[in-house]
Amino acid sequence: MQTIDALDTTLRSYLNPEQASHVRRAYYFAEQAHFGQVRRSGEDYVTHPLAVAGILADMHMDHQSLIAAMLHDVIEDTGIPKTAIGSQFGPTVAELVDGVSKLTQMEFETLEEKQAENFQKMALAMARDIRVILVKLADRLHNMRTLGVLQTSKARRIARETLDIYAPIAMRLGMNTVRMEFEDLGFNALYPMRARRIDAALRNARGHRKELVDKIRHQIETTLAQEGHEVDVLGREKHLYSIYKKMKSKRKSFSEIMDIYAFRIIVDSVDTCYRVLGCIHSLYKPVPGEFKDYIAIPKANGYQSLHTVLMGMHGVPIEIQIRTREMEAMANNGIAAHWLYKTDSQSTNGSHTRAREWVQGLLEMQQRAGNSLEFIENVKIDLFPDEIYVFTPKGRILELPRGATAVDFAYAVHTDVGNSCVACRINRRLAPLSEPLQSGETVEILTAPGASPNPSWFNYAVSAKARTNIRHFLKNQTREDSVTLGRRLLDRALAAFDRSLDQLPEGQLAEYLQRHHYEQLDDLLEQIARGNRLPAITAQQLLGGHGADPTLAEGKAAPVAIRGTEGFMVSYARCCHPIPGDPIEGYLSSEKGVVVHRERCKNLADMREKSERLVALRWDELVEGEYSVELRIEVENRRGMIAVIATRINSMGVNIEKISTDDKDYQFTYVDLEMLVHNRVHLAHIMKRLRAISSVRKVTRIKN
Ligand code: MN
C-alpha cells in the first residue's frame, strides 16, 4: 500500500518543493474530510485518493492535477463545498475537482453503440480542462484495480462502463497502457470464466513458445548488431481482451491467434526505423500486403510505428513493430506523454495548453505526412468541441451547437415541440428559455396547446433548425396579421368616402390591383399594414380620384379600435408606453406597421408634419393583454428598499421588466421601474399600493 511519504519521494523527483508540499497539504485535507469513511476493503477511504494521485504522479502530472486527485471525492462524498476547496487550494483546483465530480455523477444507462460514443463525447465536452479527464481516468483505474472479482451488479455496471466509455476515451487520447489495463480489468470483471480460461491457455502457450521466442529474438539481435544498430528487442504478447476480441470478431481459435510471434524493436531515430526494417526483411521473408507505414501516415490518436509480418523458420508468422523511443512513449501514454517528458513548468498552468500541444503535434505530424487533415478532426473536435451534449428526460443524448438554449433543444426534439414550447426545466429546475445549456444537463420542455413561437427567441436560438422554423412561423403569422390589419385600415379610409371594400365594384378593384402590379388583394392589404402604402391615398386612388382631399376625409372616419391582439403589425411606442385607458394615436411607420403612441407624446408631435401617416385610434372595449409602463418612485435612501418595492409589486402578481436606480441626493433615490399592467385602473391600484410603503415619497408615471 502506498504511503504519503513514498509519494512524496516521487513528487520531489520532478516537482519543486513548494508544489510537492501543496500536494502533501491536500493529502491531509482529504484525510480529514474523509475521516471515518472506509472503502469496501476496510481500508481508510483516503487510501483511494492517495493511490489516484500516485497513478498521476507516475505520469508526471502537474501539482494541480495531483491536488485535484487527492480531493476528487471530497465534494461528492463529504459535506465540504467547492468554495472551501477554492479558498484553500485556488480556483483552478476547485474547477478540476468540480469537473471530476460532475463526470462521476453522470449515469451511463442504455448503451447502444451510438449512445456509448455520444457519452464519450459528452464526457470530453464536459471537461473544459483536459486534466479533469486524466484525473477521472486515474480514479477509474484505481477503482478497477480494486474492484475484485465480486459479481455484484454495481461491479458489473462499473466494468461495463469502463469498457464502453473509459477505455475508448483512453484510446482517443492515445493512452494505450491505460486503455489495455481498463480492457483486461473490465473483461475479468464481466466475464471471469472466459478471462480465466484464456489466461490459463496463455500461460500454457508461453511455456511452449519460450524456446522459439528466444531463438527468434537472438537472430534479430545478432543480425542488427552486425549491421551496427543498437536496439532493444522486446517480445510482445497480446493482452487478454484483445485476444478475446480477435477470437470473437475474426472467429479464430486461440491457437491460431497465439501462433503468431510478435516483437517490438525500439530504435533511436526515424531514419534507423527504416534501416532496421531493411535488415529484418533480408533476415526473414516479408508477407506481401502486411507492411504498414504508420510513421508516414500516423493513426488518428498520433500512434506512429512501422508494422510488418514475416515468415520465420518452419513457416511461423512473426509480427514486427519498429519505432523510436519517442514514438513508444506516445504510443503508451498519448496525451499524458506531454506531461511525462516535457518538464518546463511554464506551460503547466494553461488549462488546455498540453492538450493543444498534443493536438498541434498530431496536426504537424499529419502535415508532414501530406494527406488530408480529416483524420485528426476526430480528436481535435472531441477536445475543443463546438458542440454540447445534453440529455432528454428519457436519457437520449442530443448534440447541439455551443451556446444552444432550450429553444434549440425543443426544435431538435421535434418541430411541433419547438412551436408549442412555453417553458423548460434544466436539471429539474425551472429555467429561462434563454439560458445557454451546458454539456451533461438534462433538459425537459414544457409545451402548451395553442402556444406559438415568440419573436424574441431569435435573440437566443442558434441552431439552423430552430431559426428556420421560427422564421417560417413568424412569416406566416405576420402575413395573416398584416392582411387583417390592412383590411381594417383600408376599410376605414374608404369609410371616409362612405364606401367600403366589399361594396367596391369587382372590376374596379381588379383593374386597380393589376395597374399597381399586385397579384391579389391580400398583397395590397399587407403593404398597407406594413406602412408601405398609405390607406387614405389608396382609398382615393381606388375610387378613381373622386372625393375630397384624403387628409380632410381622414377626420370623418371613426378611429380604428385596438384590441391588443393584432399581432406583429401593431406595436407600442417605447417612448411614451401607452396603456389601455390612455388617449392614443397611431403612426404608420414603413415596414413596422402601426406604432401606437399616447396622444400627447412629444415624438408624435414631431410626426404631425407627415399627417397622412397618422391614424386615429381608440382602445377597443374588449382590449386584452399586458402593456409595458414606466414608473419613477422617489424613496428614502435605506438599505433593502429596492427589495421591499420589488416584493410589493410581485405580491400583486405584476411582472417587473426592468429596474434601475439613480441617486437624487443624499436623502432620496429614484427607482425607475418598467412593468406590465392591464390598463390605467390597474396601474392606479399599483401606484396606490406603492405609495403606502412608508419610505416612498412620490410615485409618478414617466411621461415623455
Ligand atoms: Mn474516486
Side-chain angles (χ1 to χ4, degrees):
M1 198 185 74
Q2 193 159 19
T3 63
I4 180 64
D5 292 322
L7 178 66
D8 212 48
T9 313
T10 315
L11 296 181
R12 282 169 202 281
S13 73
Y14 75 97
L15 294 177
N16 69 42
E18 199 194 345
Q19 292 169 337
S21 71
H22 284 317
V23 179
R24 192 182 254 275
R25 192 159 58 88
Y27 169 78
Y28 292 123
F29 189 96
E31 195 180 38
Q32 288 294 314
H34 291 293
F35 184 78
Q37 295 175 352
V38 286
R39 303 203 88 210
R40 206 184 49 210
S41 63
E43 291 169 303
D44 283 344
Y45 195 87
V46 74
T47 56
H48 166 62
L50 177 64
V52 175
I55 291 170
L56 293 169
D58 290 339
M59 297 179 186
H60 287 196
M61 292 295 297
D62 65 302
H63 69 290
Q64 290 177 326
S65 309
L66 297 180
I67 296 172
M70 288 292 189
L71 306 173
H72 79 270
D73 280 328
V74 163
I75 294 181
E76 180 87 349
D77 292 348
T78 77
I80 294 167
K82 180 182 166 188
T83 47
I85 292 176
S87 59
Q88 281 274 325
F89 298 97
T92 309
V93 168
E95 283 304 326
L96 290 175
V97 174
D98 190 49
V100 178
S101 303
K102 288 207 173 103
L103 281 181
T104 307
Q105 284 161 9
M106 246 169 103
E107 289 278 336
F108 301 93
E109 279 167 33
T110 52
L111 286 175
E112 311 150 36
E113 202 172 325
K114 178 75 192 157
Q115 243 346 51
E117 198 184 317
N118 280 337
F119 268 118
Q120 295 160 27
K121 288 183 182 171
M122 182 188 261
L124 288 165
M126 278 171 73
R128 262 168 271 161
D129 186 326
I130 193 67
R131 290 176 295 179
V132 167
I133 294 287
L134 298 178
V135 174
K136 184 64 201 170
L137 291 179
D139 172 40
R140 179 49 61 102
L141 191 56
H142 183 246
N143 282 335
M144 287 301 293
R145 283 176 184 171
T146 51
L147 196 59
V149 281
L150 230 87
Q151 281 299 290
T152 64
S153 62
K154 192 183 173 198
R156 288 184 62 84
R157 187 184 63 81
I158 291 175
R160 180 84 267 163
E161 196 179 279
T162 302
L163 286 179
D164 287 338
I165 311 296
Y166 289 104
I169 286 180
M171 182 148 90
R172 277 164 189 261
L173 299 179
M175 300 169 68
N176 275 314
T177 311
V178 172
R179 178 195 45 111
M180 288 192 292
E181 195 174 347
F182 274 153
E183 288 183 344
D184 279 353
L185 291 169
F187 179 49
N188 258 307
L190 269 187
Y191 306 108
M193 294 295 285
R194 282 174 244 189
R196 232 171 293 148
R197 235 176 294 140
I198 294 179
D199 190 44
L202 196 59
R203 280 170 206 279
N204 190 19
R206 220 176 269 153
H208 295 304
R209 289 157 45 100
K210 191 173 182 309
E211 200 184 328
L212 192 51
V213 167
D214 287 344
K215 207 163 157 191
I216 298 171
R217 192 211 313 268
H218 180 73
Q219 280 187 340
I220 295 174
E221 277 171 345
T222 328
T223 310
L224 292 179
Q226 279 165 2
E227 297 293 326
H229 296 303
E230 272 196 34
V231 300
D232 287 336
V233 181
L234 314 168
R236 218 157 46 77
E237 228 171 45
K238 289 203 175 343
H239 67 298
L240 288 189
Y241 191 61
S242 79
I243 295 173
Y244 171 68
K245 270 200 304 196
K246 260 208 167 126
M247 288 169 71
K248 220 175 135 188
S249 66
K250 301 203 170 161
R251 300 185 173 281
K252 284 190 175 173
S253 72
F254 178 79
S255 57
E256 274 175 292
I257 290 165
M258 287 311 290
D259 266 350
I260 298 169
Y261 291 77
F263 296 87
R264 182 174 302 153
I265 304 176
I266 308 292
V267 306
D268 52 11
S269 73
V270 176
D271 197 48
T272 317
C273 290
Y274 293 97
R275 287 174 203 274
V276 164
L277 179 77
C279 295
I280 297 294
H281 278 183
S282 61
L283 177 63
Y284 303 115
K285 201 171 148 53
V287 178
E290 293 287 344
F291 169 66
K292 293 196 183 69
D293 187 347
Y294 293 119
I295 292 179
I297 304 169
K299 287 192 185 180
N301 58 14
Y303 176 86
Q304 285 189 296
S305 192
L306 297 179
H307 287 191
T308 186
V309 180
L310 313 161
M311 251 344 147
M313 52 279 217
H314 321 300
V316 287
I318 305 170
E319 271 181 15
I320 303 274
Q321 298 176 344
I322 307 168
R323 58 176 82 142
T324 65
R325 254 164 252 291
E326 231 185 336
M327 290 172 192
E328 168 80 349
M330 277 298 273
N332 292 335
N333 303 303
I335 198 166
H338 280 267
W339 277 272
L340 191 49
Y341 295 101
K342 295 194 177 178
T343 44
D344 54 321
S345 55
Q346 284 94 336
S347 53
T348 49
N349 292 327
S351 68
H352 261 71
T353 316
R354 303 272 173 155
R356 281 189 197 282
E357 279 174 8
W358 183 61
V359 171
Q360 192 55 37
L362 297 188
L363 207 59
E364 280 163 15
M365 211 184 268
Q366 183 58 19
Q367 272 158 358
R368 275 202 305 275
N371 51 10
S372 102
L373 294 175
E374 204 179 311
F375 95 132
I376 69 136
E377 280 304 305
N378 197 11
V379 197
K380 207 173 106 188
I381 287 166
D382 285 350
L383 291 186
F384 311 109
D386 292 324
E387 287 82 31
I388 55 159
Y389 299 87
V390 289
F391 290 104
T392 68
K394 284 185 181 160
R396 190 156 70 93
I397 296 174
L398 293 185
E399 180 186 312
L400 295 170
R402 179 161 285 276
T405 58
V407 171
D408 296 294
F409 178 90
Y411 278 103
V413 172
H414 196 277
T415 307
D416 292 342
V417 176
N419 282 337
S420 57
C421 148
V422 288
C424 71
R425 287 201 188 94
I426 299 176
N427 287 345
R428 301 220 175 102
R429 138 190 83 83
L430 270 175
L433 287 174
S434 58
E435 186 174 307
L437 303 175
Q438 307 289 337
S439 280
E441 288 176 336
T442 301
V443 185
E444 185 190 349
I445 297 297
L446 310 177
T447 57
S452 58
N454 189 313
S456 70
W457 292 357
F458 253 121
N459 301 329
Y460 46 79
V462 299
S463 63
K465 188 176 181 195
R467 294 187 70 84
T468 314
N469 275 300
I470 298 167
R471 192 178 296 123
H472 181 73
F473 181 89
L474 293 182
K475 213 171 147 193
N476 286 343
Q477 193 60 39
T478 312
R479 164 86 174 177
E480 264 175 51
D481 291 343
S482 310
V483 169
T484 313
L485 180 69
R487 178 178 290 273
R488 289 171 66 192
L489 289 170
L490 183 58
D491 247 341
R492 179 181 163 273
L494 286 167
F497 303 101
D498 291 324
R499 308 288 277 277
S500 81
L501 206 48
D502 297 335
Q503 289 168 354
L504 281 185
E506 189 93 357
Q508 203 172 331
L509 183 59
E511 193 253 342
Y512 178 86
L513 290 176
Q514 200 186 9
R515 186 150 39 92
H516 289 86
H517 311 292
Y518 289 110
E519 269 182 35
Q520 43 178 323
L521 176 60
D522 282 1
D523 296 338
L524 169 66
L525 297 177
E526 189 183 359
Q527 288 307 310
I528 290 174
R530 286 181 175 277
N532 296 339
R533 212 171 168 87
L534 296 174
I537 293 169
T538 311
Q540 200 189 26
Q541 289 170 339
L542 260 172
L543 297 172
H546 310 299
D549 174 1
T551 49
L552 291 178
E554 164 77 25
K556 283 202 237 163
V560 176
I562 296 293
R563 287 189 76 158
T565 52
E566 284 78 7
F568 300 110
M569 295 323 293
V570 170
S571 57
Y572 302 91
R574 306 288 300 165
C575 48
C576 55
H577 292 283
I579 61 172
D582 291 333
I584 48 172
E585 193 163 358
Y587 181 78
L588 264 172
S589 167
S590 34
E591 283 305 318
K592 276 203 225 153
V594 176
V595 183
V596 181
H597 288 263
R598 289 166 77 181
E599 213 174 55
R600 275 178 296 180
C601 174
K602 278 184 201 149
N603 289 344
L604 197 60
D606 297 341
M607 299 171 193
R608 291 203 190 274
E609 286 156 27
K610 296 179 192 160
S611 61
E612 72 280 5
R613 288 197 168 265
L614 294 178
V615 192
L617 299 178
R618 67 177 175 84
W619 296 102
D620 193 281
E621 291 76 28
L622 300 172
V623 64
E624 294 174 17
E626 291 187 311
Y627 299 83
S628 148
V629 69
E630 284 182 310
L631 288 187
R632 165 160 284 191
I633 308 170
E634 207 177 309
V635 294
E636 277 174 40
N637 278 329
R638 258 177 43 197
R639 284 185 64 166
M641 273 316 293
I642 293 180
V644 171
I645 291 169
T647 314
R648 178 66 59 96
I649 293 172
N650 275 325
S651 73
M652 291 183 275
V654 175
N655 284 324
I656 299 174
E657 298 267 277
K658 258 190 226 159
I659 188 160
S660 64
T661 61
D662 191 6
D663 287 341
K664 187 188 176 215
D665 49 39
Y666 72 96
Q667 203 188 350
F668 288 100
T669 299
Y670 292 128
V671 179
D672 290 342
L673 284 171
E674 193 179 320
M675 57 192 183
L676 296 175
V677 301
H678 295 295
N679 51 42
R680 282 177 74 112
V681 177
H682 187 203
L683 177 63
H685 175 69
I686 295 165
M687 289 170 74
K688 194 173 152 201
R689 293 286 302 272
L690 288 174
R691 288 193 186 106
I693 299 173
S694 62
S695 308
V696 168
R697 190 165 77 159
K698 217 170 156 190
V699 182
T700 45
R701 182 171 173 196
I702 297 176
K703 293 200 178 87
N704 180 12

